[in-house]
Amino acid sequence: MNLLYLLDLIGTIAFAASGALAGVRRGMDLFGVLVLGMVTAIGGGTLRDLLLGDLPPFCLRNETYLWLPVATALLVFISHRFLPKIEQPLLYLDAVGLGTFVVIGTGKAIAFQTGPLGAVLMGVMTGTAGGVIRDVLSNEIPLIMRREIYASACILGGGLLVMLRHLGMTENLSLLLSATSVILLRLMAIRYNWSLPKAT
Amino acid sequence: MNLLYLLDLIGTIAFAASGALAGVRRGMDLFGVLVLGMVTAIGGGTLRDLLLGDLPPFCLRNETYLWLPVATALLVFISHRFLPKIEQPLLYLDAVGLGTFVVIGTGKAIAFQTGPLGAVLMGVMTGTAGGVIRDVLSNEIPLIMRREIYASACILGGGLLVMLRHLGMTENLSLLLSATSVILLRLMAIRYNWSLPKAT
Amino acid sequence: MNLLYLLDLIGTIAFAASGALAGVRRGMDLFGVLVLGMVTAIGGGTLRDLLLGDLPPFCLRNETYLWLPVATALLVFISHRFLPKIEQPLLYLDAVGLGTFVVIGTGKAIAFQTGPLGAVLMGVMTGTAGGVIRDVLSNEIPLIMRREIYASACILGGGLLVMLRHLGMTENLSLLLSATSVILLRLMAIRYNWSLPKAT
């Protein structure tokens, strides 16, 4: 499980950086940048723990999940002039975080005995709700509801994990496979500019 | 209790359809339409269960409450061109859902031993919070806070239920009476275009 | 502890009045004004109790915290024409509420055994989340993320309380000292128009 924990921390940093960067771009003060960095990084997992009734949530039990976003947001606030250079790498790290968050969320829901659709939903929420809260606080329609293969990668990853576990694959292998699928799909969506259909 | 369960499912479908339709109108992609359909249908009851500490919430314990909104939202997404024709019936079904959601919420809060005002509040929240989350995610001021006899029908219905139970009426009869009051009041408000005063 | 309870009720009224006033200004109807008054007054503490898993939250266990905001919001709705005259005093009462909410939140988190950063976070959230929800419901970027020494006063107050308790000071004295610090800092920020740096 140590690899998953490492990926989880990388994802936390990547999500915090993207949230803080959004705050800087929208002209927020230091506190606003801190808040956007934190909610983006821990909002999804916190909402999942609230719904599963596993309280206090992960970030209040292991403060690493609080200190990392705070430090990342501070760093972004101070050094934001240099950030355009790392925006592309950040996008890749974000994909790593997304895949990891999704399988952690779905895996935890399975352990909490939700049904299959509930487990996928908890995974998608773990991966995406932080970004949704970031956009709501920035007074924008959540990015995820308007474009791109982002949420759909989460749905596929969560669904794959539910299926693999149902077929009897070991936890570690199924987590690894599902996370990898989300990450690869997401990287290809970035590379080839894929998007979902709209109702027309 | 079977009649109440049936009305609850009808309301879930009606709320999901109105949420999904809002997503289509705002130009969202398939995922956005799914999210708006789901939060509108289950957001209020989920928030109520969170606050009452009854976790995981109803929709994670009975996945019918997840599959129905997903199927409804998909159907709306695919067939939205024909939806203008069913908009009026949808408004009536929405009234049925509203009355049912309110009395289920207030009734559950009473069973969880909240005070009278808390019970009414939980009922109003069960009926209206899903639509509020839908509007927040669509970056609009919640419709409910700007017009019409909608929330006030909920307050009256919840208050009536608290009173009837306090007076010793049986659970089933008081639920039925209160739900009917909300539904009738709501239908008349639609019919006669009633609205609440603004501060002027 | 009776002084703290009294300050808590004063703060609840002040927060409810500011929320209701925001609703009147934004042209909402009576229900919208009630909702904004209530979420501003009890939103922060409710979110804190959700995260700490102390459910149902304080306002459902002691309905004084529901009746006061309802009565305050009604009063504001009826008499809003006279409110410009009391806006300045309201700002001072708001500072009293802020300091009290923060130390109650941080103190409760300490009692629930969170770590130091989590305790400060719970205090800040108790003091500020109600206003954030008010702004999100009004479709505005939360005021707190754009200006002024408001959140930073909360961070300092929460941090001071964590430190004083860690150093062994008695609960009552440390609560009083920390609340006073927030209130004084906030009053000086109003007086001298202090604000946080933006990233430039």
Side-chain angles (χ1 to χ4, degrees):
Chain A
M1 240 39 274
N2 277 337
L3 174 62
L4 201 64
Y5 185 53
L6 181 69
L7 292 175
D8 196 21
L9 297 184
I10 291 174
T12 301
I13 293 173
F15 274 46
S18 91
L21 204 51
V24 168
R25 292 228 170 87
R26 285 150 194 175
M28 288 180 180
D29 69 14
L30 177 56
F31 180 73
V33 171
L34 275 171
V35 168
L36 284 200
M38 295 193 80
V39 300
T40 308
I42 63 177
T46 302
L47 193 53
R48 173 203 63 214
D49 285 356
L50 275 173
L51 290 170
L52 292 177
D54 186 32
L55 300 171
F58 74 106
C59 55
L60 289 181
R61 283 194 307 250
N62 177 356
E63 293 213 328
T64 308
Y65 291 106
L66 296 179
W67 287 111
L68 273 184
V70 166
T72 304
L74 277 176
L75 201 67
V76 166
F77 187 80
I78 293 168
S79 63
H80 64 93
R81 262 183 263 234
F82 310 103
L83 287 176
K85 287 174 195 162
I86 62 153
E87 225 162 334
Q88 198 62 17
L90 200 59
L91 216 50
Y92 300 146
L93 290 179
D94 185 273
V96 172
L98 190 71
T100 312
F101 284 16
V102 167
V103 301
I104 288 177
T106 296
K108 185 165 186 173
I110 293 174
F112 273 71
Q113 319 256 353
T114 69
L117 185 54
V120 174
L121 192 66
M122 289 300 104
V124 173
M125 185 176 283
T126 306
T128 63
V132 170
I133 303 174
R134 173 200 63 208
D135 292 341
V136 164
L137 290 180
S138 309
N139 200 19
E140 302 190 354
I141 293 188
L143 200 56
I144 196 178
M145 296 167 76
R146 282 178 298 141
R147 54 128 229 210
E148 274 189 73
I149 304 296
Y150 193 94
S152 37
C154 300
I155 295 175
L156 290 177
L160 184 62
L161 179 56
V162 167
M163 214 182 62
L164 294 178
R165 296 302 307 279
H166 190 72
L167 295 175
M169 190 181 280
T170 62
E171 188 174 13
N172 279 4
L173 188 57
S174 58
L175 285 172
L176 192 66
L177 265 179
S178 311
T180 308
S181 313
V182 177
I183 295 169
L184 284 183
L185 182 54
R186 185 68 198 119
L187 291 179
M188 290 198 294
I190 295 172
R191 178 78 179 73
Y192 298 107
N193 237 331
W194 289 340
S195 67
L196 275 192
K198 290 189 182 185
T200 48
Chain B
M1 242 36 281
N2 278 338
L3 174 62
L4 199 64
Y5 185 53
L6 181 69
L7 293 175
D8 196 19
L9 296 184
I10 292 174
T12 300
I13 293 172
F15 274 47
S18 91
L21 204 51
V24 169
R25 292 228 169 87
R26 286 153 193 173
M28 289 181 180
D29 69 14
L30 177 55
F31 180 75
V33 170
L34 276 171
V35 168
L36 284 200
M38 295 193 79
V39 300
T40 308
I42 63 177
T46 302
L47 193 53
R48 173 205 63 215
D49 285 355
L50 274 175
L51 289 170
L52 293 178
D54 186 30
L55 300 172
F58 74 106
C59 55
L60 289 181
R61 281 193 307 250
N62 177 355
E63 292 212 331
T64 308
Y65 291 107
L66 297 179
W67 288 110
L68 274 183
V70 166
T72 305
L74 277 176
L75 201 68
V76 167
F77 186 80
I78 293 167
S79 64
H80 64 94
R81 261 181 263 234
F82 310 103
L83 288 174
K85 285 173 194 162
I86 63 151
E87 225 162 337
Q88 199 63 16
L90 200 59
L91 215 51
Y92 301 147
L93 291 179
D94 185 272
V96 172
L98 189 71
T100 312
F101 284 16
V102 166
V103 300
I104 288 177
T106 296
K108 183 164 187 173
I110 292 173
F112 273 71
Q113 320 257 353
T114 68
L117 184 53
V120 173
L121 193 65
M122 289 300 103
V124 173
M125 184 175 285
T126 306
T128 62
V132 169
I133 303 175
R134 174 200 63 210
D135 292 341
V136 164
L137 290 181
S138 309
N139 201 18
E140 301 189 355
I141 293 188
L143 200 58
I144 195 179
M145 296 166 76
R146 282 178 297 143
R147 53 129 230 209
E148 276 188 72
I149 305 297
Y150 193 95
S152 37
C154 301
I155 296 174
L156 290 176
L160 184 62
L161 179 56
V162 167
M163 214 181 63
L164 294 177
R165 295 301 308 279
H166 190 73
L167 295 175
M169 189 182 280
T170 62
E171 189 174 12
N172 279 5
L173 187 57
S174 57
L175 285 172
L176 194 66
L177 265 180
S178 311
T180 308
S181 314
V182 177
I183 296 168
L184 285 182
L185 182 54
R186 185 70 199 119
L187 291 178
M188 290 199 294
I190 295 171
R191 179 79 180 71
Y192 298 108
N193 236 331
W194 289 340
S195 67
L196 275 193
K198 290 189 182 184
T200 49
Chain C
M1 239 45 269
N2 277 339
L3 174 61
L4 200 64
Y5 185 53
L6 180 70
L7 292 175
D8 196 20
L9 297 183
I10 292 174
T12 300
I13 294 173
F15 274 46
S18 91
L21 203 51
V24 169
R25 294 228 168 87
R26 286 154 193 172
M28 290 179 180
D29 69 13
L30 177 54
F31 180 73
V33 170
L34 275 171
V35 168
L36 285 199
M38 294 193 80
V39 300
T40 308
I42 63 177
T46 301
L47 193 54
R48 174 203 62 216
D49 285 357
L50 275 174
L51 289 170
L52 292 178
D54 186 32
L55 301 171
F58 73 106
C59 54
L60 289 181
R61 283 193 307 250
N62 177 355
E63 292 212 330
T64 308
Y65 291 106
L66 297 178
W67 288 110
L68 274 184
V70 166
T72 304
L74 277 176
L75 200 68
V76 166
F77 187 80
I78 295 166
S79 63
H80 63 96
R81 260 182 266 236
F82 310 103
L83 287 175
K85 284 174 194 161
I86 63 152
E87 225 162 336
Q88 198 63 17
L90 200 57
L91 216 50
Y92 301 147
L93 290 180
D94 185 273
V96 172
L98 189 71
T100 312
F101 285 15
V102 167
V103 301
I104 288 177
T106 296
K108 185 166 186 174
I110 293 174
F112 273 70
Q113 319 257 355
T114 69
L117 185 54
V120 173
L121 192 66
M122 289 300 104
V124 173
M125 183 176 283
T126 307
T128 63
V132 168
I133 302 174
R134 174 200 62 210
D135 292 340
V136 164
L137 290 179
S138 309
N139 199 19
E140 303 191 354
I141 293 188
L143 200 58
I144 196 180
M145 295 166 74
R146 283 179 297 141
R147 55 129 230 209
E148 272 188 73
I149 304 297
Y150 194 94
S152 38
C154 300
I155 296 175
L156 290 176
L160 184 62
L161 179 56
V162 168
M163 213 182 62
L164 293 178
R165 295 301 309 279
H166 190 73
L167 294 175
M169 190 181 279
T170 63
E171 189 174 12
N172 279 5
L173 188 56
S174 58
L175 285 172
L176 193 67
L177 264 179
S178 311
T180 309
S181 312
V182 178
I183 297 169
L184 285 183
L185 182 55
R186 185 70 197 118
L187 291 179
M188 291 199 295
I190 296 171
R191 179 78 180 72
Y192 297 108
N193 237 331
W194 289 340
S195 67
L196 275 192
K198 290 189 182 183
T200 49

